[in-house]
Amino acid sequence: MLEEEFQNQGVEVIRMGTDDAEDADEEEFTGADICVIATYTYNNGEVSANFVYFEENLRKQNLKRESLWCSW
């Protein structure tokens, strides 16, 4: 839904081709104006350890100040 709405607003959307944060490359986000990151959770909203590690590494990247972080 988010992807389609961004496209309807004329925003270029680049979807990462991975199902697991372990396979994602944090450096691919450095040129983005908006970062939307979604993940699966376990039990009562527990985030997987792979995603926590990915998010920690992503925060170390030199991202633009106007980047938006959404994770759930």
Side-chain angles (χ1 to χ4, degrees), residues 1-52:
M1 264 181 6
L2 282 175
E3 182 177 4
E4 185 177 322
E5 186 56 36
F6 278 125
Q7 290 170 336
N8 289 342
Q9 299 296 321
V11 176
E12 177 186 9
V13 175
I14 300 171
R15 179 185 276 228
M16 300 291 290
T18 182
D19 292 330
D20 194 333
E22 192 172 278
D23 299 328
D25 182 2
E26 297 88 358
E27 291 183 11
E28 290 189 37
F29 288 87
T30 57
D33 292 321
I34 300 171
C35 298
V36 178
I37 305 166
T39 186
Y40 53 88
T41 60
Y42 297 103
N43 303 321
N44 293 321
E46 267 181 64
V47 176
S48 73
N50 287 347
F51 181 77
V52 172

Side-chain angles (χ1 to χ4, degrees), residues 56-71:
E56 288 171 356
N57 286 335
L58 186 59
R59 290 186 183 277
K60 294 175 187 175
Q61 297 299 316
N62 186 22
L63 301 176
K64 292 182 177 182
R65 294 180 63 202
E66 55 275 278
S67 294
L68 169 67
W69 290 79
C70 297
S71 55

